Amino acid sequence: MAPHPPIASRATLLACLCGFVYLLIAGSFRFEYAQSWFAHHVLMADAMLHGQLAVRDEAFAGVLARAEKDADDRFELLDRTQLSTERDAFRRERLERTVLQDWSPHEGRRYGYWAPLTPVVMIPFVWALGLDVSDALVSCLAGALNVGLFYALLRRADRAGVCTLDEGACTGLTLLFAFGTVHFYLACAGLVWFAAQVFATGAILAAMIAALPERNRARDAALAGTFFGLAILGRNIALLLGLFFVAAMWTRSADEPDRARAFRRRMAAFAAPVLVALCIQLAYNAARFGSLWNDGLAIQIQTTGDPLLRERYAAHGLFNLRYVAENLRVYFANFHLPRDATGRLTYDPIGQSLFLVTPPVLFAFLAWRNRTPFTRALVLGVVPFVAALLCYFASGYAQTYWRLRSTPFHMRV
């Protein structure tokens, strides 16, 4: 049997190849990278560079001025009587749907409601390239890194003996992740919501790699906890994936003479950096909104959020069992592909079925027949996370026409 290629070299090769495709798509096949109208993390990174958490007025003014000019240019292209009142209304609606949307205003200042990881990662790019840096460019680079991490995770799982995967399976599954899942879209789009997802995914993958060492050591558990803490600081809801690490460490402690003691030691090492991350998030909340428990999401929904989501939040709150039926339909049963104004098939902005976006995921049901303790650990991680999403007030709704037109696939419209 041929030896496996080194993990690092093959992961790097796959990351570079997939990253090239991401950069090609995001750069409109000309490697030209514009900043989207939802580059909120860039403004937050700039604020941090200047020693504050609220967006600087002068930095936002520049973005707002460019958005106003863009709105006026778009209005000029419309086939209508160009009255000044129409122009003002068009500009106002355009701005409310782009640069003014999804902020959390508090005490006369503008804050982002997202966790701090993504703007922190953006800091060196803003420092080096300035406020005009393309969020899509940065997301492509992070997305390419995720591809390499995904391959490394599969190879690590095989070497750790928790599942059996040959080289062909590792490479094939990595390419499926890169181009056959929503990660492809997220990495190419940039945009504030998708960028946070891409960075959090990278941290989760790194945490899983660290949680599956060939030799079980407390320092590996601590490293896994550190990356998992970073994932929480990327997307707070990632905390609900934590049962995977608990189950994985219990499974990996099976060969220890004193299994319970070994498990407790590793869990303590894992939990310590996670608690630090939670404290950082609480401190970040307090520094922005004066409360440990206020992350700004409720403020955003009720002030600069989409009107439809605002109505749903007012009626039933952030999490409610009333949302389950609709979310189940969207996540798993929505195969509807509408047509755009030109008659071409496009995606449903409400969201698409997982089985439509990634049909091979159906094989997971067959894999359950040969389940292992590692499979059960994966399920324990996924179920609480999915359960929370099913009760969430938004299913991934694109929210506005302008959001759809802000993706790289519509960048020139």
mmCIF file of all heavy atoms in Angstrom, residues 89-133:
data_model
loop_
_atom_site.group_PDB
_atom_site.id
_atom_site.type_symbol
_atom_site.label_atom_id
_atom_site.label_comp_id
_atom_site.label_asym_id
_atom_site.label_seq_id
_atom_site.Cartn_x
_atom_site.Cartn_y
_atom_site.Cartn_z
ATOM 1 N N ALA A 89 -35.570 59.445 -1.976
ATOM 2 C CA ALA A 89 -36.186 58.236 -1.438
ATOM 3 C C ALA A 89 -35.382 56.999 -1.834
ATOM 4 O O ALA A 89 -35.190 56.089 -1.025
ATOM 5 C CB ALA A 89 -37.634 58.117 -1.938
ATOM 6 N N PHE A 90 -34.923 56.966 -3.081
ATOM 7 C CA PHE A 90 -34.125 55.842 -3.553
ATOM 8 C C PHE A 90 -32.828 55.742 -2.757
ATOM 9 O O PHE A 90 -32.424 54.664 -2.330
ATOM 10 C CB PHE A 90 -33.825 56.010 -5.041
ATOM 11 C CG PHE A 90 -33.012 54.893 -5.627
ATOM 12 C CD1 PHE A 90 -33.633 53.760 -6.132
ATOM 13 C CD2 PHE A 90 -31.627 54.973 -5.674
ATOM 14 C CE1 PHE A 90 -32.882 52.730 -6.677
ATOM 15 C CE2 PHE A 90 -30.870 53.951 -6.208
ATOM 16 C CZ PHE A 90 -31.495 52.815 -6.717
ATOM 17 N N ARG A 91 -32.165 56.877 -2.576
ATOM 18 C CA ARG A 91 -30.909 56.878 -1.833
ATOM 19 C C ARG A 91 -31.125 56.436 -0.389
ATOM 20 O O ARG A 91 -30.367 55.635 0.141
ATOM 21 C CB ARG A 91 -30.292 58.274 -1.854
ATOM 22 C CG ARG A 91 -29.000 58.360 -1.038
ATOM 23 C CD ARG A 91 -28.617 59.799 -0.754
ATOM 24 N NE ARG A 91 -28.266 60.509 -1.978
ATOM 25 C CZ ARG A 91 -28.138 61.833 -2.034
ATOM 26 N NH1 ARG A 91 -28.382 62.558 -0.958
ATOM 27 N NH2 ARG A 91 -27.795 62.421 -3.164
ATOM 28 N N ARG A 92 -32.191 56.963 0.243
ATOM 29 C CA ARG A 92 -32.454 56.615 1.632
ATOM 30 C C ARG A 92 -32.705 55.119 1.793
ATOM 31 O O ARG A 92 -32.167 54.465 2.700
ATOM 32 C CB ARG A 92 -33.647 57.410 2.161
ATOM 33 C CG ARG A 92 -33.944 57.163 3.630
ATOM 34 C CD ARG A 92 -34.973 58.142 4.156
ATOM 35 N NE ARG A 92 -36.222 58.072 3.403
ATOM 36 C CZ ARG A 92 -36.618 58.994 2.522
ATOM 37 N NH1 ARG A 92 -35.858 60.045 2.266
ATOM 38 N NH2 ARG A 92 -37.771 58.871 1.870
ATOM 39 N N GLU A 93 -33.522 54.563 0.891
ATOM 40 C CA GLU A 93 -33.811 53.131 0.975
ATOM 41 C C GLU A 93 -32.550 52.311 0.733
ATOM 42 O O GLU A 93 -32.300 51.327 1.423
ATOM 43 C CB GLU A 93 -34.882 52.743 -0.049
ATOM 44 C CG GLU A 93 -35.218 51.252 0.000
ATOM 45 C CD GLU A 93 -36.245 50.861 -1.043
ATOM 46 O OE1 GLU A 93 -36.608 51.723 -1.872
ATOM 47 O OE2 GLU A 93 -36.671 49.705 -1.033
ATOM 48 N N ARG A 94 -31.766 52.729 -0.239
ATOM 49 C CA ARG A 94 -30.520 52.016 -0.553
ATOM 50 C C ARG A 94 -29.585 52.000 0.652
ATOM 51 O O ARG A 94 -29.022 50.958 0.999
ATOM 52 C CB ARG A 94 -29.852 52.689 -1.748
ATOM 53 C CG ARG A 94 -28.431 52.242 -2.037
ATOM 54 C CD ARG A 94 -28.373 50.861 -2.604
ATOM 55 N NE ARG A 94 -27.005 50.508 -2.950
ATOM 56 C CZ ARG A 94 -26.611 49.300 -3.282
ATOM 57 N NH1 ARG A 94 -27.482 48.319 -3.324
ATOM 58 N NH2 ARG A 94 -25.365 49.057 -3.587
ATOM 59 N N LEU A 95 -29.412 53.132 1.307
ATOM 60 C CA LEU A 95 -28.509 53.216 2.451
ATOM 61 C C LEU A 95 -29.032 52.415 3.630
ATOM 62 O O LEU A 95 -28.260 51.757 4.342
ATOM 63 C CB LEU A 95 -28.294 54.675 2.852
ATOM 64 C CG LEU A 95 -27.623 55.568 1.808
ATOM 65 C CD1 LEU A 95 -27.469 56.976 2.341
ATOM 66 C CD2 LEU A 95 -26.280 55.011 1.378
ATOM 67 N N GLU A 96 -30.348 52.474 3.848
ATOM 68 C CA GLU A 96 -30.933 51.714 4.955
ATOM 69 C C GLU A 96 -30.793 50.216 4.754
ATOM 70 O O GLU A 96 -30.774 49.452 5.725
ATOM 71 C CB GLU A 96 -32.413 52.088 5.118
ATOM 72 C CG GLU A 96 -32.626 53.493 5.683
ATOM 73 C CD GLU A 96 -34.092 53.864 5.747
ATOM 74 O OE1 GLU A 96 -34.925 53.097 5.202
ATOM 75 O OE2 GLU A 96 -34.408 54.924 6.327
ATOM 76 N N ARG A 97 -30.693 49.792 3.501
ATOM 77 C CA ARG A 97 -30.574 48.371 3.195
ATOM 78 C C ARG A 97 -29.118 47.926 3.088
ATOM 79 O O ARG A 97 -28.850 46.752 2.845
ATOM 80 C CB ARG A 97 -31.278 48.049 1.873
ATOM 81 C CG ARG A 97 -32.752 48.362 1.856
ATOM 82 C CD ARG A 97 -33.529 47.520 2.831
ATOM 83 N NE ARG A 97 -34.977 47.613 2.605
ATOM 84 C CZ ARG A 97 -35.881 46.991 3.324
ATOM 85 N NH1 ARG A 97 -35.512 46.226 4.320
ATOM 86 N NH2 ARG A 97 -37.172 47.118 3.067
ATOM 87 N N THR A 98 -28.186 48.845 3.241
ATOM 88 C CA THR A 98 -26.773 48.470 3.099
ATOM 89 C C THR A 98 -25.975 48.976 4.294
ATOM 90 O O THR A 98 -26.008 48.368 5.357
ATOM 91 C CB THR A 98 -26.196 49.008 1.771
ATOM 92 O OG1 THR A 98 -26.411 50.424 1.696
ATOM 93 C CG2 THR A 98 -26.851 48.345 0.576
ATOM 94 N N VAL A 99 -25.275 50.085 4.134
ATOM 95 C CA VAL A 99 -24.293 50.501 5.146
ATOM 96 C C VAL A 99 -24.927 50.900 6.477
ATOM 97 O O VAL A 99 -24.254 50.867 7.519
ATOM 98 C CB VAL A 99 -23.421 51.667 4.619
ATOM 99 C CG1 VAL A 99 -22.596 51.209 3.437
ATOM 100 C CG2 VAL A 99 -24.278 52.869 4.248
ATOM 101 N N LEU A 100 -26.199 51.292 6.474
ATOM 102 C CA LEU A 100 -26.853 51.677 7.721
ATOM 103 C C LEU A 100 -27.506 50.503 8.429
ATOM 104 O O LEU A 100 -27.952 50.633 9.573
ATOM 105 C CB LEU A 100 -27.906 52.758 7.451
ATOM 106 C CG LEU A 100 -27.394 54.099 6.917
ATOM 107 C CD1 LEU A 100 -28.560 55.032 6.636
ATOM 108 C CD2 LEU A 100 -26.411 54.738 7.890
ATOM 109 N N GLN A 101 -27.572 49.363 7.757
ATOM 110 C CA GLN A 101 -28.289 48.218 8.302
ATOM 111 C C GLN A 101 -27.387 47.387 9.227
ATOM 112 O O GLN A 101 -26.176 47.316 9.073
ATOM 113 C CB GLN A 101 -28.801 47.330 7.169
ATOM 114 C CG GLN A 101 -29.739 46.233 7.634
ATOM 115 C CD GLN A 101 -30.372 45.500 6.465
ATOM 116 O OE1 GLN A 101 -29.996 45.688 5.325
ATOM 117 N NE2 GLN A 101 -31.340 44.653 6.752
ATOM 118 N N ASP A 102 -28.044 46.750 10.199
ATOM 119 C CA ASP A 102 -27.409 45.751 11.066
ATOM 120 C C ASP A 102 -26.310 46.313 11.960
ATOM 121 O O ASP A 102 -25.283 45.663 12.198
ATOM 122 C CB ASP A 102 -26.861 44.591 10.229
ATOM 123 C CG ASP A 102 -27.971 43.627 9.843
ATOM 124 O OD1 ASP A 102 -29.126 43.883 10.210
ATOM 125 O OD2 ASP A 102 -27.689 42.627 9.180
ATOM 126 N N TRP A 103 -26.529 47.519 12.459
ATOM 127 C CA TRP A 103 -25.683 48.064 13.515
ATOM 128 C C TRP A 103 -26.479 48.108 14.820
ATOM 129 O O TRP A 103 -27.703 48.024 14.812
ATOM 130 C CB TRP A 103 -25.210 49.476 13.162
ATOM 131 C CG TRP A 103 -24.242 49.542 12.028
ATOM 132 C CD1 TRP A 103 -24.499 49.937 10.755
ATOM 133 C CD2 TRP A 103 -22.851 49.201 12.067
ATOM 134 N NE1 TRP A 103 -23.367 49.864 9.987
ATOM 135 C CE2 TRP A 103 -22.335 49.417 10.765
ATOM 136 C CE3 TRP A 103 -21.994 48.738 13.069
ATOM 137 C CZ2 TRP A 103 -20.990 49.186 10.449
ATOM 138 C CZ3 TRP A 103 -20.662 48.501 12.746
ATOM 139 C CH2 TRP A 103 -20.170 48.719 11.452
ATOM 140 N N SER A 104 -25.764 48.255 15.913
ATOM 141 C CA SER A 104 -26.404 48.367 17.229
ATOM 142 C C SER A 104 -26.076 49.734 17.824
ATOM 143 O O SER A 104 -25.070 49.897 18.520
ATOM 144 C CB SER A 104 -25.903 47.256 18.161
ATOM 145 O OG SER A 104 -26.239 45.988 17.660
ATOM 146 N N PRO A 105 -26.899 50.754 17.544
ATOM 147 C CA PRO A 105 -26.634 52.084 18.097
ATOM 148 C C PRO A 105 -26.876 52.110 19.605
ATOM 149 O O PRO A 105 -27.854 51.544 20.105
ATOM 150 C CB PRO A 105 -27.631 52.974 17.352
ATOM 151 C CG PRO A 105 -28.726 52.045 16.927
ATOM 152 C CD PRO A 105 -28.085 50.723 16.685
ATOM 153 N N HIS A 106 -25.979 52.760 20.323
ATOM 154 C CA HIS A 106 -26.100 52.831 21.787
ATOM 155 C C HIS A 106 -25.433 54.102 22.270
ATOM 156 O O HIS A 106 -24.255 54.346 21.998
ATOM 157 C CB HIS A 106 -25.437 51.615 22.432
ATOM 158 C CG HIS A 106 -25.511 51.594 23.924
ATOM 159 N ND1 HIS A 106 -26.702 51.453 24.613
ATOM 160 C CD2 HIS A 106 -24.540 51.706 24.869
ATOM 161 C CE1 HIS A 106 -26.457 51.460 25.914
ATOM 162 N NE2 HIS A 106 -25.156 51.622 26.094
ATOM 163 N N GLU A 107 -26.218 54.930 22.947
ATOM 164 C CA GLU A 107 -25.734 56.187 23.516
ATOM 165 C C GLU A 107 -25.018 57.044 22.481
ATOM 166 O O GLU A 107 -23.942 57.602 22.719
ATOM 167 C CB GLU A 107 -24.812 55.916 24.710
ATOM 168 C CG GLU A 107 -25.534 55.239 25.880
ATOM 169 C CD GLU A 107 -24.629 55.029 27.084
ATOM 170 O OE1 GLU A 107 -23.394 55.208 26.936
ATOM 171 O OE2 GLU A 107 -25.153 54.714 28.164
ATOM 172 N N GLY A 108 -25.635 57.145 21.295
ATOM 173 C CA GLY A 108 -25.101 58.004 20.252
ATOM 174 C C GLY A 108 -23.927 57.439 19.491
ATOM 175 O O GLY A 108 -23.348 58.132 18.642
ATOM 176 N N ARG A 109 -23.571 56.181 19.738
ATOM 177 C CA ARG A 109 -22.456 55.559 19.035
ATOM 178 C C ARG A 109 -22.934 54.331 18.274
ATOM 179 O O ARG A 109 -23.974 53.768 18.582
ATOM 180 C CB ARG A 109 -21.348 55.173 20.025
ATOM 181 C CG ARG A 109 -20.743 56.369 20.753
ATOM 182 C CD ARG A 109 -19.660 55.924 21.722
ATOM 183 N NE ARG A 109 -19.038 57.049 22.389
ATOM 184 C CZ ARG A 109 -18.054 56.935 23.285
ATOM 185 N NH1 ARG A 109 -17.610 55.728 23.621
ATOM 186 N NH2 ARG A 109 -17.528 58.018 23.840
ATOM 187 N N ARG A 110 -22.146 53.943 17.290
ATOM 188 C CA ARG A 110 -22.506 52.803 16.438
ATOM 189 C C ARG A 110 -21.579 51.631 16.766
ATOM 190 O O ARG A 110 -20.366 51.724 16.662
ATOM 191 C CB ARG A 110 -22.395 53.207 14.973
ATOM 192 C CG ARG A 110 -22.800 52.128 13.995
ATOM 193 C CD ARG A 110 -22.728 52.626 12.558
ATOM 194 N NE ARG A 110 -23.854 53.489 12.226
ATOM 195 C CZ ARG A 110 -23.782 54.802 12.121
ATOM 196 N NH1 ARG A 110 -22.631 55.428 12.320
ATOM 197 N NH2 ARG A 110 -24.853 55.522 11.820
ATOM 198 N N TYR A 111 -22.178 50.499 17.163
ATOM 199 C CA TYR A 111 -21.428 49.293 17.499
ATOM 200 C C TYR A 111 -21.873 48.131 16.609
ATOM 201 O O TYR A 111 -22.998 48.109 16.109
ATOM 202 C CB TYR A 111 -21.665 48.881 18.957
ATOM 203 C CG TYR A 111 -21.159 49.857 19.983
ATOM 204 C CD1 TYR A 111 -21.997 50.856 20.491
ATOM 205 C CD2 TYR A 111 -19.855 49.778 20.478
ATOM 206 C CE1 TYR A 111 -21.547 51.747 21.448
ATOM 207 C CE2 TYR A 111 -19.398 50.668 21.438
ATOM 208 C CZ TYR A 111 -20.244 51.652 21.916
ATOM 209 O OH TYR A 111 -19.794 52.533 22.865
ATOM 210 N N GLY A 112 -20.988 47.172 16.466
ATOM 211 C CA GLY A 112 -21.368 45.906 15.858
ATOM 212 C C GLY A 112 -21.830 44.956 16.945
ATOM 213 O O GLY A 112 -21.275 44.946 18.047
ATOM 214 N N TYR A 113 -22.843 44.158 16.654
ATOM 215 C CA TYR A 113 -23.349 43.241 17.672
ATOM 216 C C TYR A 113 -22.652 41.890 17.619
ATOM 217 O O TYR A 113 -22.900 41.030 18.460
ATOM 218 C CB TYR A 113 -24.868 43.051 17.519
ATOM 219 C CG TYR A 113 -25.314 42.331 16.277
ATOM 220 C CD1 TYR A 113 -25.457 40.946 16.251
ATOM 221 C CD2 TYR A 113 -25.610 43.035 15.111
ATOM 222 C CE1 TYR A 113 -25.876 40.276 15.108
ATOM 223 C CE2 TYR A 113 -26.028 42.389 13.969
ATOM 224 C CZ TYR A 113 -26.160 41.005 13.970
ATOM 225 O OH TYR A 113 -26.564 40.358 12.831
ATOM 226 N N TRP A 114 -21.762 41.698 16.661
ATOM 227 C CA TRP A 114 -21.109 40.399 16.510
ATOM 228 C C TRP A 114 -20.003 40.205 17.539
ATOM 229 O O TRP A 114 -19.470 41.165 18.102
ATOM 230 C CB TRP A 114 -20.522 40.284 15.104
ATOM 231 C CG TRP A 114 -21.548 40.560 14.066
ATOM 232 C CD1 TRP A 114 -22.446 39.680 13.559
ATOM 233 C CD2 TRP A 114 -21.836 41.819 13.468
ATOM 234 N NE1 TRP A 114 -23.269 40.306 12.665
ATOM 235 C CE2 TRP A 114 -22.916 41.623 12.591
ATOM 236 C CE3 TRP A 114 -21.277 43.096 13.577
ATOM 237 C CZ2 TRP A 114 -23.450 42.645 11.826
ATOM 238 C CZ3 TRP A 114 -21.808 44.108 12.827
ATOM 239 C CH2 TRP A 114 -22.890 43.884 11.961
ATOM 240 N N ALA A 115 -19.655 38.955 17.741
ATOM 241 C CA ALA A 115 -18.564 38.628 18.658
ATOM 242 C C ALA A 115 -17.241 39.170 18.091
ATOM 243 O O ALA A 115 -17.146 39.475 16.897
ATOM 244 C CB ALA A 115 -18.504 37.112 18.857
ATOM 245 N N PRO A 116 -16.184 39.264 18.902
ATOM 246 C CA PRO A 116 -15.013 40.049 18.508
ATOM 247 C C PRO A 116 -13.995 39.358 17.608
ATOM 248 O O PRO A 116 -13.093 40.027 17.091
ATOM 249 C CB PRO A 116 -14.372 40.384 19.867
ATOM 250 C CG PRO A 116 -14.748 39.252 20.755
ATOM 251 C CD PRO A 116 -16.148 38.869 20.327
ATOM 252 N N LEU A 117 -14.083 38.042 17.379
ATOM 253 C CA LEU A 117 -13.004 37.364 16.666
ATOM 254 C C LEU A 117 -12.763 37.935 15.269
ATOM 255 O O LEU A 117 -11.614 38.246 14.908
ATOM 256 C CB LEU A 117 -13.302 35.861 16.551
ATOM 257 C CG LEU A 117 -12.289 35.057 15.708
ATOM 258 C CD1 LEU A 117 -10.938 35.028 16.378
ATOM 259 C CD2 LEU A 117 -12.801 33.644 15.454
ATOM 260 N N THR A 118 -13.813 38.082 14.472
ATOM 261 C CA THR A 118 -13.620 38.494 13.076
ATOM 262 C C THR A 118 -13.005 39.883 12.948
ATOM 263 O O THR A 118 -12.034 40.053 12.194
ATOM 264 C CB THR A 118 -14.948 38.411 12.309
ATOM 265 O OG1 THR A 118 -15.475 37.082 12.435
ATOM 266 C CG2 THR A 118 -14.745 38.720 10.837
ATOM 267 N N PRO A 119 -13.488 40.905 13.648
ATOM 268 C CA PRO A 119 -12.808 42.200 13.529
ATOM 269 C C PRO A 119 -11.366 42.161 14.032
ATOM 270 O O PRO A 119 -10.499 42.855 13.479
ATOM 271 C CB PRO A 119 -13.670 43.144 14.374
ATOM 272 C CG PRO A 119 -14.531 42.277 15.211
ATOM 273 C CD PRO A 119 -14.730 41.020 14.444
ATOM 274 N N VAL A 120 -11.088 41.339 15.039
ATOM 275 C CA VAL A 120 -9.702 41.233 15.516
ATOM 276 C C VAL A 120 -8.814 40.651 14.427
ATOM 277 O O VAL A 120 -7.695 41.128 14.186
ATOM 278 C CB VAL A 120 -9.634 40.372 16.799
ATOM 279 C CG1 VAL A 120 -8.189 40.008 17.131
ATOM 280 C CG2 VAL A 120 -10.258 41.120 17.974
ATOM 281 N N VAL A 121 -9.297 39.609 13.746
ATOM 282 C CA VAL A 121 -8.520 39.018 12.649
ATOM 283 C C VAL A 121 -8.363 40.015 11.501
ATOM 284 O O VAL A 121 -7.351 40.009 10.790
ATOM 285 C CB VAL A 121 -9.189 37.720 12.152
ATOM 286 C CG1 VAL A 121 -8.458 37.158 10.945
ATOM 287 C CG2 VAL A 121 -9.217 36.674 13.267
ATOM 288 N N MET A 122 -9.329 40.883 11.310
ATOM 289 C CA MET A 122 -9.268 41.884 10.248
ATOM 290 C C MET A 122 -8.246 42.987 10.527
ATOM 291 O O MET A 122 -7.829 43.695 9.602
ATOM 292 C CB MET A 122 -10.647 42.531 10.066
ATOM 293 C CG MET A 122 -11.701 41.657 9.427
ATOM 294 S SD MET A 122 -11.525 41.641 7.639
ATOM 295 C CE MET A 122 -13.046 40.779 7.166
ATOM 296 N N ILE A 123 -7.839 43.140 11.772
ATOM 297 C CA ILE A 123 -6.981 44.268 12.145
ATOM 298 C C ILE A 123 -5.718 44.364 11.303
ATOM 299 O O ILE A 123 -5.404 45.445 10.768
ATOM 300 C CB ILE A 123 -6.641 44.210 13.658
ATOM 301 C CG1 ILE A 123 -7.861 44.645 14.478
ATOM 302 C CG2 ILE A 123 -5.446 45.106 13.981
ATOM 303 C CD1 ILE A 123 -7.656 44.539 15.984
ATOM 304 N N PRO A 124 -4.927 43.284 11.142
ATOM 305 C CA PRO A 124 -3.705 43.444 10.335
ATOM 306 C C PRO A 124 -3.991 43.814 8.886
ATOM 307 O O PRO A 124 -3.188 44.541 8.263
ATOM 308 C CB PRO A 124 -3.027 42.071 10.443
ATOM 309 C CG PRO A 124 -4.076 41.135 10.916
ATOM 310 C CD PRO A 124 -5.009 41.943 11.739
ATOM 311 N N PHE A 125 -5.100 43.367 8.326
ATOM 312 C CA PHE A 125 -5.440 43.710 6.946
ATOM 313 C C PHE A 125 -5.814 45.183 6.839
ATOM 314 O O PHE A 125 -5.430 45.866 5.880
ATOM 315 C CB PHE A 125 -6.586 42.830 6.453
ATOM 316 C CG PHE A 125 -6.237 41.371 6.357
ATOM 317 C CD1 PHE A 125 -6.533 40.500 7.400
ATOM 318 C CD2 PHE A 125 -5.605 40.867 5.235
ATOM 319 C CE1 PHE A 125 -6.212 39.152 7.313
ATOM 320 C CE2 PHE A 125 -5.274 39.529 5.142
ATOM 321 C CZ PHE A 125 -5.573 38.669 6.187
ATOM 322 N N VAL A 126 -6.574 45.680 7.810
ATOM 323 C CA VAL A 126 -6.938 47.098 7.818
ATOM 324 C C VAL A 126 -5.703 47.957 8.049
ATOM 325 O O VAL A 126 -5.526 49.007 7.415
ATOM 326 C CB VAL A 126 -8.011 47.375 8.887
ATOM 327 C CG1 VAL A 126 -8.323 48.857 8.967
ATOM 328 C CG2 VAL A 126 -9.289 46.588 8.578
ATOM 329 N N TRP A 127 -4.835 47.496 8.940
ATOM 330 C CA TRP A 127 -3.604 48.244 9.214
ATOM 331 C C TRP A 127 -2.717 48.328 7.975
ATOM 332 O O TRP A 127 -2.149 49.384 7.668
ATOM 333 C CB TRP A 127 -2.849 47.567 10.355
ATOM 334 C CG TRP A 127 -1.530 48.217 10.655
ATOM 335 C CD1 TRP A 127 -1.290 49.355 11.388
ATOM 336 C CD2 TRP A 127 -0.246 47.772 10.203
ATOM 337 N NE1 TRP A 127 0.048 49.638 11.429
ATOM 338 C CE2 TRP A 127 0.722 48.689 10.704
ATOM 339 C CE3 TRP A 127 0.190 46.694 9.436
ATOM 340 C CZ2 TRP A 127 2.087 48.542 10.461
ATOM 341 C CZ3 TRP A 127 1.545 46.548 9.185
ATOM 342 C CH2 TRP A 127 2.476 47.460 9.693
ATOM 343 N N ALA A 128 -2.614 47.237 7.234
ATOM 344 C CA ALA A 128 -1.709 47.182 6.088
ATOM 345 C C ALA A 128 -2.328 47.783 4.825
ATOM 346 O O ALA A 128 -1.630 48.435 4.037
ATOM 347 C CB ALA A 128 -1.289 45.735 5.818
ATOM 348 N N LEU A 129 -3.636 47.577 4.611
ATOM 349 C CA LEU A 129 -4.263 47.953 3.348
ATOM 350 C C LEU A 129 -5.243 49.103 3.468
ATOM 351 O O LEU A 129 -5.740 49.595 2.453
ATOM 352 C CB LEU A 129 -4.970 46.735 2.738
ATOM 353 C CG LEU A 129 -4.065 45.519 2.466
ATOM 354 C CD1 LEU A 129 -4.894 44.337 1.968
ATOM 355 C CD2 LEU A 129 -2.980 45.862 1.455
ATOM 356 N N GLY A 130 -5.570 49.496 4.705
ATOM 357 C CA GLY A 130 -6.438 50.644 4.892
ATOM 358 C C GLY A 130 -7.911 50.288 4.953
ATOM 359 O O GLY A 130 -8.306 49.127 4.837
ATOM 360 N N LEU A 131 -8.739 51.307 5.091
ATOM 361 C CA LEU A 131 -10.175 51.120 5.261
ATOM 362 C C LEU A 131 -10.870 50.596 4.009
ATOM 363 O O LEU A 131 -12.006 50.154 4.075
ATOM 364 C CB LEU A 131 -10.826 52.448 5.671
ATOM 365 C CG LEU A 131 -10.851 52.761 7.172
ATOM 366 C CD1 LEU A 131 -11.310 54.187 7.401
ATOM 367 C CD2 LEU A 131 -11.760 51.779 7.893
ATOM 368 N N ASP A 132 -10.192 50.633 2.879
ATOM 369 C CA ASP A 132 -10.805 50.152 1.642
ATOM 370 C C ASP A 132 -10.539 48.677 1.395
ATOM 371 O O ASP A 132 -10.901 48.161 0.332
ATOM 372 C CB ASP A 132 -10.285 50.956 0.449
ATOM 373 C CG ASP A 132 -10.746 52.409 0.484
ATOM 374 O OD1 ASP A 132 -11.814 52.657 1.064
ATOM 375 O OD2 ASP A 132 -10.042 53.271 -0.069
ATOM 376 N N VAL A 133 -9.920 47.984 2.338
ATOM 377 C CA VAL A 133 -9.603 46.575 2.135
ATOM 378 C C VAL A 133 -10.873 45.789 1.823
ATOM 379 O O VAL A 133 -11.936 46.048 2.395
ATOM 380 C CB VAL A 133 -8.884 45.992 3.375
ATOM 381 C CG1 VAL A 133 -9.782 46.036 4.606
ATOM 382 C CG2 VAL A 133 -8.432 44.562 3.114
#
